[in-house]
Amino acid sequence: MKDIKSLTLEELKREMEEMGEKSFRAKQLYEWMHVKLVRSFDEMTNIPLSLRERCEREYDFTAVKQVRMQESAIDGTKKYLFELGDGKLVESVWMKYKHGNSVCISSQVGCRMGCAFCASTLDGLERSLTPSEMLDQIYAITRLTGERVSNVVVMGTGEPMDNYDNLLRFLTLLTDENGLHISQRNVTVSTCGLVPQMRQLAQEQLQITLALSLHATTDEKRRRLMPVANKYSIQELMETCAYYFQKTGRRITFEYSLVGGVNDTDEDARELIALIKDLNCHVNLIPVNPIKERNFVQSGGEEIAAFKNKLEKNGINVTIRREMGRDIDGACGQLRRRQKALQ
Ligand code: SAH
C-alpha cells in the first residue's frame, strides 16, 4: 500500500484525480496530515466518511507511537522512544533553546557506519526510515509538547546519506509551504561523509546546513575512529565541502568530537586549522559523550578551551556544543536501537 504521508501535495492531487475525487480533497487531506498533524483518517472531519474509509483501505497511515519519554533534570531536554508500524523502535530528542525548539530525529533504525565512539551503530542497521516516519517524529513531538518546532537536525540514529532518497523527500515535505513549513535554513543534516551523496545534495541547491562529522585531521587517525574513512579521504571530503558551499552558498559545519588524548592535542588543532582555514565554515566541538561499551574519555575542560582558542585565533568560527540531555542518554552518540529495559 502507498504511504500517504510520504506523498507530496502534487502527488496526492493525482491520486485523488485517479480515484475520481475532486482535487481540493488532496489539499484537505494534506492539511490534516501536515498542518493539523492528526493521527488517523477518522479525525479528518471535513472529508466525507466514504472517502475516509476508502483512504483507510488504500493507504498506509504512518503514526509513530510514544513508548517512553524521559526528561532531563539538568536542561529540560526530552528524549522520546517511538514505535513504528512494524514494532521497531527509534529515538528522537526535543531541546529547548532561547531561539526556539529544536528536534533531533533519527533517519534509520540502527546504523551501519560503525563509528567507534557511537552507541547507535552497536547493533548494526535494521532498516531505513520512510519519509513519513522521519516527519512523524517531529509531528508527534509537536503534538505531545504543544509547542511549535522551529529547528530540525537530522543527527539522531542513522546515517541520513545512507537513506538519500527518503531523506530528500522528507526535506521537501518538511519545508513545504503547504505543510509544517520549517525554513530550510533551520534544518541541518549531519553526515559521517558519504561523498557521492554529499555531491548530489549540493546539486539540489537547498538552503539547509550540511554538517560533516570530521573528528580527526589525518586519514590514519580518522580510520581508527570511523570505518567510512577507509572509503573516502579527508582530501576528498574537503573538496566536497568546498563544492557544497560553491553550489549552495551555505557555510559548512564541521563536527569534531573531542576525545581525551586521541584528537585533542596542539598538533590536532594545528592540523585542523590547516585543513579548513580556506573554507567558509563553522566548527562545532563536541566533548565526546561516554557510552558504556567503549572507553573513550572526554578531553578536560582546559584542553577543550585551549583547542577552541587556537581555532579562534586563526579566525575560525567555533562553538562548543552544549551537552543536552546527557543524564537521559540523549546526547550525541548515545541514542540506540536496543532498548534493554523494554525487552
Ligand atoms: N550519521 C550522522 C548523524 C548522526 S551522529 C553523522 O555521522 O554525522 C551526530 C553527531 O554525533 C556526529 O557528528 C557523530 O559523529 C557524533 N557522535 C557520535 N557519537 C558521539 C559521542 N559518543 N560523543 C560525541 N559525539 C558523538
Side-chain angles (χ1 to χ4, degrees):
M1 284 206 290
K2 273 188 193 156
D3 165 13
I4 192 167
K5 253 193 207 178
S6 289
L7 300 177
T8 63
L9 181 55
E10 281 313 305
E11 288 167 342
L12 203 50
K13 280 186 184 154
R14 252 174 279 139
E15 292 281 316
M16 288 302 115
E17 274 164 32
E18 277 165 28
M19 281 189 177
E21 295 287 342
K22 300 245 164 37
S23 84
F24 76 89
R25 295 290 180 206
K27 184 90 202 254
Q28 289 178 324
L29 283 165
Y30 196 86
E31 193 168 289
W32 281 113
M33 291 187 284
H34 301 286
V35 180
K36 296 179 183 152
L37 312 182
V38 298
R39 294 176 48 80
S40 69
F41 291 113
D42 292 345
E43 295 171 60
M44 303 181 178
T45 46
N46 63 358
I47 310 272
L49 185 61
S50 59
L51 177 55
R52 275 189 260 157
E53 285 172 348
R54 188 162 177 199
C55 287
E56 192 84 61
R57 282 194 305 274
E58 298 196 11
Y59 299 108
D60 273 328
F61 192 97
T62 298
V64 301
K65 272 206 302 251
Q66 178 188 329
V67 178
R68 186 165 70 187
M69 189 278 279
Q70 291 163 275
E71 183 167 356
S72 165
I74 305 170
D75 52 40
T77 294
K78 292 177 179 173
K79 182 170 78 165
Y80 291 90
L81 178 65
F82 290 120
E83 185 180 336
L84 308 174
D86 61 358
K88 307 235 181 298
L89 301 170
V90 292
E91 293 185 309
S92 327
V93 181
W94 181 84
M95 292 159 283
K96 211 174 169 68
Y97 291 102
K98 275 193 227 80
H99 59 264
N101 300 319
S102 195
V103 169
C104 172
I105 65 152
S106 292
S107 57
Q108 296 181 312
V109 183
C111 181
R112 57 177 179 160
M113 295 298 132
C115 297
F117 40 76
C118 182
S120 303
T121 200
L122 289 170
D123 296 306
L125 173 68
E126 193 129 23
R127 69 170 174 86
S128 284
L129 297 191
T130 61
S132 62
E133 288 170 334
M134 289 186 253
L135 278 176
D136 211 48
Q137 296 171 56
I138 300 155
Y139 295 180
I141 289 177
T142 304
R143 274 196 320 263
L144 289 163
T145 59
E147 291 189 38
R148 194 184 145 78
V149 169
S150 53
N151 292 270
V152 172
V153 298
V154 188
M155 288 192 189
T157 297
E159 169 48 50
M161 298 292 172
D162 189 33
N163 184 17
Y164 186 86
D165 293 344
N166 286 343
L167 173 78
L168 212 68
R169 185 174 273 271
F170 157 76
L171 293 173
T172 305
L173 293 165
L174 180 70
T175 58
D176 177 16
E177 59 180 3
N178 297 298
L180 213 52
H181 197 189
I182 294 196
S183 158
Q184 287 186 9
R185 289 170 176 269
N186 293 350
V187 179
T188 299
V189 174
S190 176
T191 178
C192 64
L194 301 183
V195 166
Q197 290 91 325
M198 288 166 72
R199 289 202 155 254
Q200 209 176 330
L201 187 67
Q203 286 157 12
E204 313 284 352
Q205 308 212 338
L206 301 175
Q207 286 298 295
I208 62 168
T209 300
L210 180 64
L212 173 69
S213 299
L214 188 59
H215 307 321
T217 52
T218 66
D219 287 323
E220 199 214 334
K221 244 187 205 177
R222 195 162 186 267
R223 281 195 285 262
R224 270 187 259 145
L225 296 172
M226 306 173 71
V228 68
N230 290 301
K231 203 152 177 200
Y232 305 108
S233 68
I234 290 181
Q235 181 59 35
E236 275 175 286
L237 285 172
M238 293 304 131
E239 285 163 19
T240 309
C241 288
Y243 179 69
Y244 189 87
F245 178 73
Q246 179 207 326
K247 282 285 179 196
T248 63
R250 298 289 292 162
R251 168 176 100 150
I252 298 283
T253 295
F254 290 109
E255 292 161 290
Y256 195 96
S257 297
L258 288 162
V259 187
V262 173
N263 63 3
D264 65 345
T265 63
D266 272 0
E267 195 188 348
D268 290 305
R270 271 200 308 277
E271 285 169 354
L272 182 58
I273 292 160
L275 264 184
I276 65 174
K277 66 177 185 328
D278 295 330
L279 282 170
N280 216 310
C281 68
H282 174 95
V283 175
N284 217 210
L285 296 175
I286 318 174
V288 79
N289 296 301
I291 59 170
K292 63 176 183 298
E293 290 84 351
R294 303 277 184 266
N295 45 15
F296 291 110
V297 290
Q298 273 191 9
S299 309
E302 270 174 41
E303 281 84 10
I304 297 176
F307 202 95
K308 177 171 187 263
N309 275 340
K310 276 200 202 77
L311 299 185
E312 278 176 342
K313 281 215 182 90
N314 284 273
I316 294 170
N317 230 294
V318 195
T319 45
I320 298 177
R321 186 175 291 174
R322 283 169 60 201
E323 304 157 59
M324 307 285 275
R326 237 182 92 183
D327 56 331
I328 52 167
D329 276 354
C332 298
Q334 295 186 314
L335 303 186
R336 46 181 78 224
R337 197 185 95 191
R338 295 227 187 280
Q339 295 295 322
K340 299 250 159 36
L342 293 170
Q343 281 174 354

